[in-house]
Amino acid sequence: WGHDAQDRLTLPEGPLSHVDAGRQHTCAITTDGALSCSGPVAALVDAVPEGTFKYVDLGANQACAVHDDGSLTCWGDGDLADSTPSSGAFTAVSLGVFHACALTEDQLITCWGDNSDKQGNAPAWVFDSLTSGGFHTCALDILGELSCWGLDSYGQATSPF
């Protein structure tokens, strides 16, 4: 369950409902909503928020998790936690290096953080899922069509379909 050089290894107990891996850390949610993280980044592992969760996503040195009530909490090293949307109900969240996007219960996407490559310019459309790369984000809409936005220097935000 991870490198334990800093004694930050926390094995989750019980069956898992969700897991995500970041640059040097991993977080998992048990079927009863408990969140557990491991890895060498103290700001992530030692600051895991309290509560019950349904979704977690990890960036380079940051993490965001969706609580059972749809509220969103971000923590770690960086500015994303300071600019997390303070209201709304969310179903998923996805982190890039310096930006994050979240899917609302109304299936709209809201983004925050760095927007220097337009990675925060989510289309105003209805989506089912999303995922972020370092400086771009892609989402599947309700018709199964792919939309991507952000840095496209290598075609990473250009749909191959």
Side-chain angles (χ1 to χ4, degrees), residues 98-157:
F98 301 114
H99 81 286
C101 295
L103 186 64
T104 69
E105 285 188 344
D106 295 331
Q107 295 181 288
L108 303 174
I109 293 177
T110 183
C111 299
W112 66 98
D114 180 48
N115 193 32
S116 60
D117 294 305
K118 298 183 171 60
Q119 62 268 47
N121 294 357
W125 190 239
V126 183
F127 293 94
D128 278 333
S129 64
L130 77 160
T131 187
S132 295
F135 302 94
H136 70 288
T137 297
C138 294
L140 287 178
D141 70 19
I142 59 170
L143 302 174
E145 298 292 324
L146 179 65
S147 295
C148 297
W149 57 95
L151 184 66
D152 196 31
S153 56
Y154 299 102
Q156 66 269 38

Side-chain angles (χ1 to χ4, degrees), residues 76-96:
D77 291 332
D79 297 330
L80 292 180
D82 297 333
S83 58
T84 302
S86 59
S87 63
F90 301 93
T91 59
V93 61
S94 187
L95 279 67

Side-chain angles (χ1 to χ4, degrees), residues 6 8 25 37-48 61 75-77:
Q6 286 83 19
R8 298 193 193 292
H25 50 287
C37 298
S38 69
V41 182
L44 285 171
V45 177
D46 296 342
V48 173
N61 290 320
W75 71 100
D77 291 332

